[in-house]
Amino acid sequence: MQFGEFFQNIRHFIAAFAAADVYDDVGIRPFGKLMLNDGFVKLTGEVYLNTNMHRLVADGREILLKALEYKLLYYLFTNRGRVVSKDDLLRDVWEDEHINEGTIAVHIRHLREKIEADPREPQLIKTVWGVGYLMEETEV
């Protein structure tokens, strides 16, 4: 194999890998073909939410969100800088579905595990005890 053929094979391998939907066991895939464009808003650090494509990107990787996780995250984002009560979440995110406060806490925990550097010490989605949750304002 000649030197030029070697590099051509490397380029084909890289292109095939970038085009593939390669997921790991926690629902994360390389950012690959996606490019930062209109619709991306910065949540914090290297975490971006694409409101056009309903995608979350952290550190260059797409984080898979379930529909309800996206709806919850988007709701918190659109209300960032203000405390959102659990009643607000029940009414506007779950649309008065019969759930308890524990269900909200579990969904918040799942979001934190996906977007926070340390989910046990959240910096983006904070709990306001006895009231609800607060998504901190971020510099854009």
Side-chain angles (χ1 to χ4, degrees):
M1 178 182 295
Q2 293 182 348
F3 197 69
E5 289 177 322
F6 174 75
F7 280 109
Q8 185 68 18
N9 288 340
I10 295 280
R11 278 196 286 277
H12 286 296
F13 174 79
I14 291 170
F17 182 78
D21 285 340
V22 181
Y23 293 88
D24 67 11
D25 61 345
V26 294
I28 299 172
R29 74 176 174 137
F31 199 43
K33 298 183 290 187
L34 298 175
M35 299 298 290
L36 292 181
N37 58 23
D38 292 341
F40 275 97
V41 291
K42 184 175 184 175
L43 297 182
T44 185
E46 290 298 315
V47 179
Y48 298 87
L49 182 65
N50 186 308
T51 58
N52 292 339
M53 297 173 17
H54 291 217
R55 295 181 184 218
L56 181 70
V57 176
D59 298 321
R61 299 178 301 165
E62 181 180 0
I63 307 297
L64 299 179
L65 294 177
K66 296 177 182 169
L68 192 57
E69 289 174 333
Y70 177 84
K71 189 175 180 180
L72 176 58
L73 182 61
Y74 184 76
Y75 187 81
L76 292 170
F77 171 73
T78 57
N79 290 283
R80 66 192 176 281
R82 98 174 172 84
V83 176
V84 175
S85 74
K86 293 173 185 174
D87 288 337
D88 291 339
L89 293 173
L90 288 171
R91 182 187 65 245
D92 298 333
V93 175
W94 274 269
E95 300 172 0
D96 289 323
E97 198 173 301
H98 297 291
I99 63 163
N100 61 34
E101 290 182 7
T103 301
I104 296 172
V106 167
H107 281 81
I108 293 289
R109 180 174 49 87
H110 289 165
L111 279 178
R112 286 176 175 157
E113 289 170 350
K114 292 180 177 187
I115 66 175
E116 298 278 3
D118 182 359
R120 292 167 288 148
E121 296 290 330
Q123 299 301 306
L124 185 61
I125 302 174
K126 297 189 175 181
T127 300
V128 179
W129 294 106
V131 181
Y133 299 93
L134 170 69
M135 178 176 275
E136 293 287 348
E137 288 275 1
T138 58
E139 72 268 357
V140 180

